[in-house]
Amino acid sequence: SGAMSKNAERTYIMVKPDGVQRGLVGNIISRFEKRGYQLCGLKMRTASRELLEEHYGDLKSKPFFPGLVNFMMSGPVVSMVWQGKDVVKQGRSMLGETDPLKSKPGSIRGDFCIDMGKNVCHGSDSVDTANEEIKMWFKDDEVMDYKLTAYKDIY
Ligand code: RTP
C-alpha cells in the first residue's frame, strides 16, 4: 500500500495559450504518456480572471502579475491531471526552468520557447500545490480514477 500511494501522486499540468496557438498540445501530452504517466483529467477552456488570480495568488504583488493574468486569459488553455511515481518533480523537470534561457534542450521549454512570458506550459511545484490546483481547475467528477491494465506490473 506504500507503493500504491506513491504511484497515486498527481500533478496539474497546463498548456498555456501560446502552447495551444502553436499546436504543441499533442506533443506535450505525448511526452507524459511515453514517460509512463497516466492521464486522469483533460479539458480545454478560456480561464476567467477570478480563476487565474486564484491560481497565481502567490504572485499578486509581482510587477508582471497583470500582464501574466491578461496573457493567460488571451485564449484557451488545456488543463491536465497526470498521475504516477514522483510526477510532480518529474513534471517540473520535463517542463524545464521558468526562464527558457536556463531550460535544457530536451525539456518542453528548452525545445519550444525563448520567452519567460510565453513559456508554453505550467506544472505544479509541490504535491500540496498540485492538489490545490487540481481542485481549482477540475470538478471532482472530472478527475478519473482507473487502472492502467497494460502496465499492471508497474501500477
Ligand atoms: P508556472 O507556474 O507557470 O509553471 O511557472 P513557475 O512556477 O516556473 O514560475 P512562477 O514564478 O510561479 O511564475 C509564473 C509564471 O509567470 C511568468 N513570469 N514572468 N517577467 C517575469 O519576470 C516573469 N516571471 C515569471 C512566467 O510565465 C511563469 O511561468
Side-chain angles (χ1 to χ4, degrees):
S1 67
M4 270 289 282
S5 58
K6 238 186 188 172
N7 292 345
E9 183 172 305
R10 283 174 171 167
T11 194
Y12 175 67
I13 301 290
M14 171 164 58
V15 184
K16 297 183 179 183
D18 54 325
V20 172
Q21 286 292 326
R22 294 175 54 200
L24 298 174
V25 174
N27 181 289
I28 292 168
I29 290 176
S30 194
R31 287 172 185 241
F32 279 85
E33 283 186 328
K34 286 175 180 164
R35 189 76 193 257
Y37 290 116
Q38 180 182 7
L39 185 61
C40 293
L42 177 67
K43 69 174 177 184
M44 185 180 217
R45 71 146 166 299
T46 302
S48 67
R49 185 175 297 281
E50 291 67 32
L51 176 56
L52 289 164
E53 287 182 349
E54 188 186 1
H55 176 83
Y56 285 122
D58 58 327
L59 300 175
K60 259 195 174 112
S61 61
K62 304 279 185 191
F64 60 82
F65 181 77
L68 173 62
V69 170
N70 284 334
F71 167 64
M72 289 298 295
M73 290 174 63
S74 67
V77 297
V78 172
S79 294
M80 299 175 271
V81 179
W82 287 96
Q83 177 173 322
K85 187 166 183 268
D86 300 319
V87 71
V88 172
K89 263 198 176 158
Q90 290 279 22
R92 294 283 285 191
S93 134
M94 289 165 70
L95 261 52
E97 302 294 320
T98 306
D99 181 356
L101 195 54
K102 298 190 181 115
S103 294
K104 294 210 174 69
S107 66
I108 293 167
R109 288 163 175 164
D111 285 348
F112 297 135
C113 64
I114 51 178
D115 240 38
M116 179 125 74
K118 296 202 172 103
N119 60 3
V120 176
C121 49
H122 161 83
S124 308
D125 62 8
S126 72
V127 172
D128 287 346
T129 309
N131 290 327
E132 288 170 20
E133 291 178 349
I134 291 166
K135 269 212 152 67
M136 281 177 216
W137 290 88
F138 287 88
K139 295 174 186 143
D140 282 353
D141 67 0
E142 291 173 334
V143 182
M144 301 300 112
D145 213 336
Y146 67 102
K147 209 171 157 75
L148 274 189
T149 52
Y151 289 95
K152 62 177 183 290
D153 295 339
I154 303 171
Y155 292 95

